[in-house]
Amino acid sequence: MPRDFAEAAGRRSDLVIGREDSFAAAREQLTRGGSVLLHGPAGIGKSTVLRTLAAGYARTAHTVLRCSATESESHLPFLALADLLGTVLDEISPALPAAQRTALESALTGRGESTLQRDGLALRLAVLSALRALAAAGPVLVVADDLQWLDPASAELLGFAARRLGDTPVRLLCAVRTEGPETGDAEYDRHLRASPPDTRAVRLGPLTRTQVAALLDERGYAGLHRSTVRDIHRTSGGNPLFALELGRALAESPAAPRPGEPLPVPTSLRALVLSRLEMLSDEARRTLLVASAGARPTPALLRAAGRENAEAETAQAAALGLLAPDPEGPTVRFAHPLISAALYAEAPAPERRAAHAALSTAASDPIERARHLALATTGTDPRVAARLAEAAALARDRGAPSVAASLGLLAARHTPADGAPGPDERRLTAAEDAITAGEPDLARDIAREVLTRATAPGERVRAWMVVIEAAGQAIGEVDAVFPQALADAGDDPRLLALVHYQLAWRSLVVQGDFAQGREDAAHAARLAARGGDRRTELLALAFQAQSETLMGHPDAAATIRRALEEPQDPRVACHHNGAGSSRFRWLVINDRLAEARTAVTALLREVRRRGMAESEVHYLRFLAETELHAGHCGRALELSRESLTLARDAGIGEGAGVMQAALAEAAGGDPDRALELAREAVRRTEEDGDAVYLSRALAALGHAHLVAGDAAAAVRALRRVRELEAGAGITDPARGRWQGDLAEALVRTGQPAEAMDVIEVTRVHALRLGRGSVLAVLDRSEALVRAARGERRAAEARLTSTRERLAGLGFGLEEARAVFALAELHAERPGRAPESASYDEAARLFRRCRALPWLRRVEAAVAARAAGPAPAAEPDGLEGLASMERQVAALVMEGATNREIAARLFVSVKTVEATLTRVYRKLGIRSRVDIVRLAAGRRPD
């Protein structure tokens, strides 16, 4: 193992002794395009297998990215990321969105203003985008050794990307140290969960005695007695690293052990390392101690730390096999991290502190300097604590909240009990960083520890808020916390505001109770105002405004105005839970689509500028919703797909994203895909216990069923929506706009009486709230009821009026649906042929909206009603063709290609091809040329 100790001359680099089965399994996995995670205890041969596999498969990869780490490097954020992407940064930067590019460059260089002030999501997405950009040019192989020593920030980013790569041609070949059995090892489980879904875990176990003998022989330790080899095997436990070191020690011993006597060497790696360290001079050993304490030590760093003869002393250590050459730079790298660990652990405490003290001034990175200063200091020291707090803030800004949490805990340890801020206050800051880093268990443990001794109300309430935040979606599981938090808050309005804001979310998420959520939010806003906490006041007002909007409460507009008053918190103002978002929702519900589009576009631009990727997910979805209402179905489909991709990549807002994507697919894409997505949305919201979006997901499912032609299934889904919203106290029909779909589905299933009941109940609320578009859609639905009752003239008049009102409001898709309903009504007149002009108008409007599923329904309706005697020959000679077929044929006569026809008619090329096939069959012709001949009045040959 070249990374562990010096190798014997002449060793075959491609020989993997005793690993044939494991090697074959890993090779098979890589060959079929999967990823591999090698794992096993220290010294078991993971690096050898990894390096040999990488050498074999690097030739087939377009790009090979490598990283490896040591324990001393694990505290510094992004070192492994720099190894992976530092050399290709110039290549991938142009392919990244601006916010992601800035985040990545800041992380890799440590320079510039970070856009990751909050949760580092932009950086996560940047790494994922970078790998995808590299993969676009050819297969990518990521080789990562010693995952257990990767700095947490890099490990988090690599795992985030790995879980979301999907079919992207990126393979991971990784190795991680695990000490336990294959099952039940926490380290193994953690790294396997962070690997791509198709990863094959390959555990490297101990070698047999025969394999140990072959290994010793191959490495130049031949001629050992069989009994000695047996002892080596027993003492090493089959670990190849231990076996080789025992063999080396025996070979260097002046006298071989007698048979039956213990081996003249220690039986653990640490002892072996220490015995070899004794061969170093005292000065060289001190130099190695400084190197073991540092991260990425270089000769220059060692000299700056006072080791004047660093080059000569590290050369001495390298000759003894304690150091290995680093082919990628001047870094002083131990041959195995255990050597560094053993050296550091064996050194007396004063010597360790002296090494850290030297590095606290020599290191270039401020985070590393602060860490060394802490480790060089005993007891409390406010100056050291302040430096650590500053370093934590820097790590937070770099998008490494887990590093910030560890530094914050160090800061708390060095903070005097009477310090300001105090130690527990700094622990709570660390807990909040842990929440951001996705370590809720750590955050909860810190908060619980603080609660065991904290007496200050502010600290106790803040700790309770951490406990609540750590519960995530399972907020109902911490119900017992709220009474205790309220008791600790006492009569302090600032603290009470925090608790009541969380209570508002509990009412909404757990109970689906908008009214109670509104009351809690309003109370929180009043308390925050009294306590001078403007940020909490703004968040509470925005929550209150959104609840009122969705409830149809008359105070919604006034609350929004209050939430938009100065002074503002810039991040709250553009946050998806802020006042800007509430105002957008109010504009949409009040049919002010143009203003809503302008507002959400501005919000989207601002959050992108700030790198607020989570808010970007939501605003893309909001913009898709607005475009869908306006009848811009193609644009809505693009935006919803973009939002869903980002949501899946980020792991946030997926339920809402899937729901909106289902609606967009039903309007402008694939109805089957719409059903698939809607079912997923329902499943997700039910599993999450998300009372807020369950009714929206069911409404999307009902709509998708209606578009797909399954009215009975639409009724089942939409009846559930009606029950849920009634139970939640939601009376504003503009929230989900599902009532028209339910009424139409009921008519189609022969239940006009229930349909009329839905219409009348909804109309009362729509009239009270002035929801013009909802009233128009209800009139369209009532026209269907009247038609079902035989009142055709009244139905036609109502549909004509509805079409005009919807056009005036800018609801293009709903207008087209009204025209389609009118065409179907005309076609059903007894004793009268279908009026193709009505269907042509419906097709034109649906084509303008790029509402392809609805356009196909028009075509199907025309085809279904085309039975009977063919009309008189048309002037162009294209007798008997449906509207869509005539348009395609006419464009063929103009000389347009299939792609040009698809673009002009807003359909796919496949739709054009299918339409032409029907044209050929109906007219008894075989080619496009025959269409032109027919148009000229000549029969084809």
Side-chain angles (χ1 to χ4, degrees):
M1 298 181 64
R3 295 185 65 255
D4 300 333
F5 290 93
E7 299 173 339
R11 176 198 168 212
R12 287 176 53 194
S13 61
D14 61 342
L15 185 62
V16 184
I17 294 174
R19 301 297 180 212
E20 293 78 10
D21 291 343
S22 299
F23 189 82
R27 182 172 56 188
E28 178 185 357
Q29 175 75 356
L30 290 170
T31 299
R32 69 178 186 83
S35 296
V36 172
L37 177 66
L38 303 171
H39 65 107
I44 204 66
K46 302 181 296 298
S47 296
T48 301
V49 175
L50 179 135
R51 183 180 53 256
T52 307
L53 285 168
Y57 286 88
R59 292 188 292 270
T60 65
H62 182 271
T63 305
V64 179
L65 307 174
R66 302 176 187 269
C67 72
S68 184
T70 64
E71 185 176 14
S72 61
E73 301 168 349
S74 61
H75 68 283
L76 288 179
F78 309 126
L79 288 182
L81 183 65
D83 280 346
L84 287 173
L85 300 178
T87 58
V88 296
L89 182 60
D90 292 340
E91 176 184 349
I92 60 178
S93 287
L96 302 181
Q100 295 181 19
R101 180 170 61 251
T102 301
L104 186 59
E105 290 175 349
S106 177
L108 296 185
T109 64
R111 298 191 301 270
E113 181 181 353
S114 172
T115 61
L116 309 171
Q117 303 293 325
R118 204 157 57 104
D119 61 1
L121 187 54
L123 181 56
R124 294 178 179 88
L125 297 175
V127 174
L128 179 60
S129 299
L131 291 174
R132 286 174 173 165
L134 291 170
V140 177
L141 178 64
V142 178
V143 183
D145 200 0
D146 286 322
L147 287 182
Q148 73 278 0
W149 299 136
L150 258 64
D151 59 277
S154 295
E156 177 185 354
L157 294 169
L158 186 59
F160 178 91
R163 292 188 298 271
R164 292 164 172 81
L165 286 169
D167 296 331
T168 306
V170 177
R171 288 175 290 178
L172 270 67
L173 175 56
C174 305
V176 62
R177 177 186 301 178
T178 54
E179 300 296 341
E182 184 162 354
T183 57
D185 187 284
E187 188 75 0
Y188 160 79
D189 290 338
R190 181 168 68 87
H191 286 288
L192 186 60
R193 287 195 301 270
S195 301
D198 64 345
T199 297
R200 180 168 184 172
V202 178
R203 181 172 178 81
L204 302 183
L207 301 180
T208 66
R209 184 170 63 185
T210 302
Q211 291 167 343
V212 166
L215 177 65
L216 291 168
D217 190 57
E218 194 271 333
R219 299 299 175 90
Y221 306 121
L224 296 174
H225 293 146
R226 295 183 62 182
S227 60
T228 303
V229 172
R230 184 184 63 241
D231 290 341
I232 290 174
H233 177 257
R234 183 183 67 250
T235 303
S236 68
N239 184 298
L241 173 62
F242 294 179
L244 285 173
E245 285 309 297
L246 287 167
R248 189 195 306 273
L250 284 170
E252 295 173 353
S253 176
R258 295 188 179 94
E261 289 184 353
L263 296 177
V265 291
T267 58
S268 69
L269 180 60
R270 177 177 175 181
L272 271 173
V273 171
L274 295 176
S275 69
R276 296 183 64 204
L277 288 173
E278 293 175 356
M279 303 173 66
L280 289 172
S281 67
D282 290 343
E283 291 301 310
R285 184 164 178 157
R286 292 190 183 95
T287 295
L288 287 194
L289 176 60
V290 175
S292 71
R296 295 294 176 91
T298 63
L301 177 64
L302 295 176
R303 287 195 302 272
R307 308 312 303 166
E308 298 178 356
N309 299 315
E311 284 87 349
E313 290 158 358
T314 54
Q316 180 187 356
L320 292 171
L322 294 168
L323 299 178
D326 187 343
E328 299 179 1
T331 304
V332 175
R333 185 176 292 276
F334 284 90
H336 191 280
L338 289 177
I339 302 173
S340 173
L343 170 64
Y344 184 86
E346 188 67 15
E351 290 188 17
R352 292 200 298 267
R353 288 197 295 271
H356 286 297
L359 288 168
S360 69
T361 58
S364 59
D365 189 276
I367 294 177
E368 186 179 358
R369 288 198 301 270
R371 174 179 171 272
H372 286 305
L373 180 61
L375 295 174
T377 305
T378 58
T380 60
D381 187 323
R383 181 180 63 91
V384 173
R387 285 275 299 276
L388 285 164
E390 291 170 1
L394 180 57
R396 196 177 302 121
D397 291 345
R398 290 184 182 179
S402 57
V403 175
S406 64
L407 290 168
L409 290 174
L410 275 175
R413 186 181 306 165
H414 288 283
T415 301
D418 59 351
D424 280 343
E425 186 173 349
R426 283 184 164 143
R427 288 186 182 92
L428 290 172
T429 300
E432 290 159 355
D433 284 326
I435 288 282
T436 304
E439 300 177 25
D441 292 341
L442 172 61
R444 186 184 302 109
D445 290 345
I446 295 171
R448 294 287 187 186
E449 178 193 351
V450 170
L451 286 166
T452 61
R453 59 174 173 269
T455 57
E459 290 183 352
R460 291 190 62 81
V461 171
R462 189 176 171 192
W464 289 127
M465 295 304 100
V466 170
V467 173
I468 294 171
E469 290 284 350
Q473 287 295 111
I475 190 172
E477 296 179 3
V478 293
D479 274 353
V481 165
F482 287 99
Q484 299 177 72
L486 287 169
D488 284 330
D491 57 1
D492 186 325
R494 190 182 185 94
L495 300 180
L496 286 169
L498 293 172
V499 182
H500 281 277
Y501 179 66
Q502 292 294 345
L503 280 169
W505 279 108
R506 183 196 175 280
S507 297
L508 190 63
V509 174
V510 177
Q511 299 173 312
D513 191 335
F514 283 76
Q516 186 61 50
R518 172 189 175 271
E519 290 182 16
D520 288 327
H523 189 40
R526 290 191 296 269
L527 290 166
R530 282 172 48 198
D533 183 355
R534 182 60 173 166
R535 183 179 185 277
T536 302
E537 181 188 8
L538 290 170
L539 286 169
L541 284 171
F543 185 104
Q544 177 187 346
Q546 182 153 314
S547 298
E548 290 173 348
T549 299
L550 297 177
M551 293 169 61
H553 196 284
D555 292 344
T559 305
I560 290 173
R561 286 193 294 271
R562 288 176 59 203
L564 291 171
E565 290 174 356
E566 296 294 338
Q568 285 287 320
D569 181 314
R571 293 187 69 85
V572 172
C574 65
H575 191 271
H576 60 275
N577 284 330
S581 175
S582 298
R583 177 175 178 270
F584 159 79
R585 179 61 60 198
W586 184 86
L587 289 169
V588 169
I589 282 181
N590 284 276
D591 298 336
R592 294 161 66 170
L593 296 183
E595 292 178 72
R597 182 186 296 108
T598 300
V600 74
T601 301
L603 289 166
L604 179 60
R605 186 185 307 114
E606 179 64 13
V607 297
R608 280 175 166 167
R609 185 184 71 81
R610 292 177 174 272
M612 298 167 65
E614 183 177 3
S615 292
E616 181 182 355
V617 170
H618 293 282
Y619 287 137
L620 281 169
R621 176 167 54 82
F622 291 172
L623 184 55
E625 178 186 348
T626 307
E627 299 292 8
L628 196 57
H629 288 321
H632 304 152
C633 300
R635 177 62 174 154
L637 186 60
E638 294 171 0
L639 289 165
S640 65
R641 286 173 175 172
E642 182 182 356
S643 176
L644 181 56
T645 298
L646 192 58
R648 292 196 193 280
D649 287 345
I652 54 175
E654 289 187 69
V658 173
M659 178 272 297
Q660 186 60 47
L663 291 170
E665 289 285 351
D670 181 353
D672 290 337
R673 176 63 175 158
L675 283 169
E676 178 185 341
L677 288 168
R679 292 187 181 107
E680 180 187 347
V682 172
R683 184 177 65 254
R684 282 180 175 275
T685 52
E686 288 180 331
E687 290 174 352
D688 294 343
D690 190 342
V692 177
Y693 272 102
L694 177 57
S695 63
R696 299 288 302 277
L698 285 165
L701 179 60
H703 180 74
H705 277 305
L706 185 64
V707 175
D710 190 346
V715 167
R716 289 193 296 272
L718 294 172
R719 277 175 175 163
R720 283 190 65 192
V721 178
R722 192 182 189 191
E723 294 171 2
L724 287 170
E725 293 204 350
I730 300 172
T731 59
D732 192 337
R735 180 198 181 233
R737 300 176 184 270
W738 50 267
Q739 296 84 356
D741 284 345
L742 176 55
E744 179 175 338
L746 286 167
V747 170
R748 294 185 181 279
T749 56
Q751 304 172 81
E754 184 181 346
M756 201 63 211
D757 178 67
V758 171
I759 293 168
E760 290 174 348
V761 170
T762 306
R763 184 175 281 142
V764 171
H765 296 298
L767 285 169
R768 173 176 59 86
L769 298 168
R771 304 295 185 243
S773 63
V774 174
L775 288 167
V777 169
L778 291 174
D779 282 352
R780 184 186 69 203
S781 301
E782 184 178 348
L784 299 179
V785 174
R786 289 179 177 274
R789 293 173 174 172
E791 304 171 18
R792 295 183 176 277
R793 189 176 299 279
E796 288 182 11
R798 184 147 297 197
L799 285 172
T800 301
S801 170
T802 295
R803 184 254 174 103
E804 294 171 354
R805 288 155 57 199
L806 288 168
L809 291 169
F811 281 72
L813 182 57
E814 299 294 355
E815 176 196 357
R817 287 180 63 179
V819 173
F820 183 33
L822 187 61
E824 289 189 304
L825 190 60
H826 287 164
E828 291 173 354
R829 282 185 175 181
R832 210 178 140 178
E835 294 186 13
S836 62
S838 297
Y839 281 119
D840 286 348
E841 177 65 2
R844 183 186 71 81
L845 292 176
F846 282 134
R847 193 170 297 114
R848 183 185 69 182
C849 294
R850 295 190 64 180
L852 303 185
W854 288 100
L855 186 59
R856 296 185 193 104
R857 287 191 62 178
V858 173
E859 294 174 6
V862 171
R865 302 183 188 283
E874 296 183 28
D876 60 6
L878 303 179
E879 301 89 349
L881 297 184
S883 172
M884 180 68 168
E885 294 163 351
R886 288 198 307 275
Q887 293 180 71
V888 170
L891 290 171
V892 168
M893 286 185 279
E894 294 178 10
T897 65
N898 287 1
R899 187 170 298 280
E900 291 169 342
I901 294 171
R904 291 176 65 176
L905 298 182
F906 300 106
V907 297
S908 68
V909 173
K910 287 186 177 181
T911 298
V912 173
E913 293 169 350
T915 303
L916 279 175
T917 299
R918 293 196 301 272
V919 169
Y920 298 157
R921 184 175 62 251
K922 286 183 177 182
L923 300 182
I925 60 178
R926 293 179 301 226
S927 70
R928 298 164 66 94
V929 174
D930 290 339
I931 293 178
V932 177
R933 288 174 175 168
L934 277 176
R938 302 193 305 270
R939 292 299 306 172
D941 297 335

